[in-house]
Amino acid sequence: MSGSPADEHNIDDVIASKQAETDKHIDIDVARLEALGFVTLTNARRQINEEYREIKRKLIQNAFGPLSKTLANSNIIMVSSARPSEGKTFTAVNLALSIAAEQDKTVLLVDADVLKPNVLRTLAVPEKKGLMDYLLGESEDISDVIYRTNVPKLRIIPAGSSHHLSTELLASGIMSETVNEFSTRYKDRVVIIDTPPLIGINESAVLASFAGQAVIVVEEGRTKLHDIQHSVERLNPDMAIGFVVNKSITNTETGGYYGYSYYGSDREPA
């Protein structure tokens, strides 16, 4: 006996609901990332895991410790670089993975490099609707573009569609309200924002006005000192600013390795 039209309608609803759940989930191939040298989610004590543990500890302390009282949006951390190809997305993803391993923290990774989005590409995931679609009004609620992942404490907002008014959209009131919601809605959440390079890109300066902390990625032997100085000048002077030295060579008995070092600002709590 065939089902009634009402039964068929219910089945359609279930299928649509399950499809929506699938669409709002990102499956990260963690084994692939580990093979590529990213932070691993296993119990292995790899060098990169230890380096990012050290980096994240300072950031979490700034976000939730005594210094947080002197910072606006202390749990909003922008990750940038002076110029392209210095490792900022690699750093942002590793920070997100490392913080997701915390027992009492969740992490939201936002790809705000809307001119050249790279988070989903780094994760080998197809493009999805994201931040720009929400700012354009094509998604009704920010939750529509927050994707759960198979890493339990990690959520991702992709960059979404490109748009010629990206600077204006990022500087809009709705973006400011969204960042404030990120900062206050979940007391245990750290938000990592992968932003465009700081030099010559207006969007980065706009995003710097929302974040309480900045991590600037510099490549040893490549990033010029005046580029670092220029980058800092484009940041909010009230931020906590740190530097990750990418591909730094440390002498060891085996002749050296490529590593990641974090240098925080000297700012103390008021």
Side-chain angles (χ1 to χ4, degrees):
M1 180 182 294
S2 61
S4 67
D7 291 336
E8 293 177 0
H9 181 69
N10 289 337
I11 292 173
D12 289 341
D13 287 344
V14 170
I15 293 173
S17 177
K18 289 188 175 297
Q19 181 62 48
E21 290 177 6
T22 302
D23 290 344
K24 291 186 62 176
H25 185 273
I26 289 176
D27 190 28
I28 299 172
D29 187 343
V30 293
R32 170 185 168 273
L33 291 182
E34 181 175 346
L36 291 173
F38 284 76
V39 165
T40 177
L41 299 176
T42 66
N43 293 325
R45 294 188 68 85
R46 300 175 65 201
Q47 182 68 39
I48 192 168
N49 283 38
E50 298 306 311
E51 290 164 342
Y52 273 91
R53 281 193 177 104
E54 183 176 352
I55 294 169
K56 76 172 176 182
R57 193 59 53 211
K58 178 64 174 178
L59 296 172
I60 291 174
Q61 182 181 359
N62 288 348
F64 302 102
L67 185 60
S68 66
K69 297 180 176 60
T70 72
L71 298 172
N73 296 338
S74 61
N75 60 332
I76 309 290
I77 304 168
M78 64 175 286
V79 179
S80 190
S81 58
R83 298 190 182 277
S85 303
E86 293 181 318
K88 66 179 183 61
T89 300
F90 181 85
T91 299
V93 170
N94 276 316
L95 279 175
L97 291 171
S98 187
I99 294 171
E102 293 287 305
Q103 296 299 303
D104 59 351
K105 297 289 181 290
T106 62
V107 59
L108 174 63
L109 175 59
V110 182
D111 190 349
D113 190 349
V114 295
L115 301 177
K116 192 178 179 182
N118 200 33
V119 168
L120 294 190
R121 188 176 297 112
T122 297
L123 299 176
V125 172
E127 294 299 324
K128 297 177 178 290
K129 287 188 175 181
L131 179 63
M132 294 300 290
D133 301 285
Y134 170 66
L135 296 177
L136 285 165
E138 296 175 5
S139 295
E140 292 185 5
D141 192 271
I142 188 64
S143 63
D144 294 335
V145 294
I146 297 179
Y147 296 82
R148 293 179 175 272
T149 74
N150 53 315
V151 179
K153 294 186 177 182
L154 172 63
R155 306 287 185 269
I156 296 176
I157 297 180
S161 305
S162 61
H163 197 274
H164 67 286
L165 293 178
S166 56
T167 301
E168 289 77 9
L169 289 166
L170 291 173
S172 66
I174 190 171
M175 180 65 181
S176 178
E177 292 170 4
T178 301
V179 173
N180 287 334
E181 181 178 357
F182 290 162
S183 180
T184 59
R185 184 170 183 178
Y186 302 102
K187 297 299 183 183
D188 65 341
R189 175 168 285 177
V190 178
V191 182
I192 304 293
I193 303 180
D194 182 15
T195 74
L198 285 159
I199 295 178
I201 307 295
N202 291 325
E203 284 82 353
S204 299
V206 170
L207 291 164
S209 67
F210 297 133
Q213 300 190 65
V215 173
I216 308 305
V217 181
V218 298
E219 184 174 336
E220 185 168 77
R222 179 186 176 194
T223 307
K224 296 179 173 58
L225 180 58
H226 65 81
D227 283 348
I228 297 174
Q229 293 171 333
H230 189 189
S231 297
V232 171
E233 289 169 359
R234 293 178 62 81
L235 295 173
N236 180 349
D238 295 325
M239 305 172 81
I241 303 171
F243 299 88
V244 169
V245 181
N246 186 11
K247 301 180 183 177
S248 60
I249 300 177
T250 301
N251 291 327
T252 66
E253 293 179 357
T254 59
Y257 67 90
Y258 286 98
Y260 305 84
S261 303
Y262 179 77
Y263 299 89
S265 66
D266 293 326
R267 185 178 174 194
E268 298 293 338

